[in-house]
Amino acid sequence: MKFFVDTADVDAIRELNDLGMVDGVTTNPSLILKSGRDILEVTKEICSFVKGPVSAEVVALEASEMIAEGRKLAAIAPNIAVKVPLTWDGLKTCKVLSSEGFMVNVTLCFSANQALIAAKAGATFISPFIGRLDDINLDGLDLIGDIRTIYDNYDFKTQILAASIRSANHVKDCALIGADVITAPPAVIKSLASHVLTDKGLEQFLKDWAKTGQKIL
Ligand code: G3P
């Protein structure tokens, strides 16, 4: 399973990238706002050191404008995936841009039928938001499972990019169910390394080591 990092915070991306944890990056208008940076400038900087797909989202609502925005974003770097919302105009944009050879990430997916139609429109990635479904007492993971089954039934090549990941359990569940990619905030990716028994075990080892009076260096 690939790890994308869901942020426009360049320092946080660099830290994870140096560890080989970054297979790609996703951004959205809210994350650009949070970064306080200009979208073109920050996206270009991210693409200067991240080798995998970097999603940058259009903000127009009508297809011809979305296509124009998508082409402008795609011109930033060859590894840009143009992110479009799962609307009818977004699907038209997806079809045009994917036919031109650009990667397209169709976002704000909340149903299996939306994922099916995005695959038909040539999406490179489909982004189901699992946390936001959990927020309204639906099961985000069920959606990932349904999309996996549908895509496998018909051999769709669209990659399932599980988004709105809020916890380490979300990451594990997505890996078990067969998501191709997860995109998660840096803190969630870092939390995968944590376990209370690791902390406890290390504390005991260090106490015992101190009693030996030895040094390694
Ligand atoms: O990738 C989509 C993600 O940024 C949304 O996450 O936590 O705002 O639902 P969240």
Side-chain angles (χ1 to χ4, degrees):
M1 188 173 70
K2 289 178 224 163
F3 279 10
F4 288 4
V5 58
D6 197 29
T7 186
D9 178 336
V10 172
D11 291 339
I13 299 168
R14 275 191 194 283
E15 185 190 3
L16 290 168
N17 194 55
D18 289 347
L19 278 174
M21 299 287 173
V22 177
D23 299 308
V25 171
T26 51
T27 64
N28 61 38
S30 304
L31 293 171
I32 296 294
L33 173 68
K34 203 170 163 192
S35 76
R37 306 259 320 256
D38 172 81
I39 183 172
L40 299 178
E41 183 200 288
V42 73
T43 307
K44 190 170 178 186
E45 186 175 347
I46 294 167
C47 290
S48 71
F49 63 92
V50 170
K51 299 277 171 271
V54 174
S55 288
E57 188 159 343
V58 302
V59 291
L61 295 176
E62 187 274 323
S64 64
E65 269 186 82
M66 286 169 129
I67 292 165
E69 286 183 353
R71 287 179 183 143
K72 184 166 180 180
L73 292 171
I76 294 171
N79 56 329
I80 288 288
V82 178
K83 208 169 175 189
V84 302
L86 215 157
T87 60
W88 198 245
D89 284 73
L91 292 173
K92 286 183 191 171
T93 304
C94 176
K95 183 68 189 164
V96 170
L97 294 180
S98 61
S99 304
E100 290 175 2
F102 298 118
M103 290 186 284
V104 181
N105 176 357
V106 180
T107 189
L108 289 167
C109 170
F110 294 96
S111 79
N113 278 334
Q114 286 183 313
L116 175 57
I117 203 163
K120 303 278 290 178
T124 316
F125 302 102
I126 184 69
S127 290
F129 277 31
I130 69 177
R132 292 191 193 186
L133 284 168
D134 291 354
D135 287 345
I136 58 165
N137 293 326
L138 295 173
D139 191 332
L141 202 68
D142 279 353
L143 174 58
I144 305 292
D146 287 349
I147 300 170
R148 179 77 282 151
T149 301
I150 291 168
Y151 282 6
D152 289 349
N153 281 349
Y154 300 100
D155 202 22
F156 283 116
K157 300 300 178 211
T158 301
Q159 296 179 52
I160 303 172
L161 196 175
S164 188
I165 296 277
R166 308 268 180 77
S167 67
N169 275 345
H170 272 161
V171 176
K172 180 195 69 177
D173 291 341
C174 285
L176 284 170
I177 213 157
D180 298 292
V181 190
I182 55 101
T183 188
V188 170
I189 293 178
K190 283 180 152 186
S191 78
L192 302 182
S194 299
H195 198 289
V196 64
L197 291 180
T198 304
D199 298 341
K200 200 175 159 197
L202 185 58
E203 194 186 335
Q204 186 62 51
F205 285 159
L206 293 182
K207 268 188 197 157
D208 291 343
W209 179 248
K211 287 180 200 160
T212 70
Q214 300 179 42
K215 283 192 183 336
I216 294 176
L217 288 178

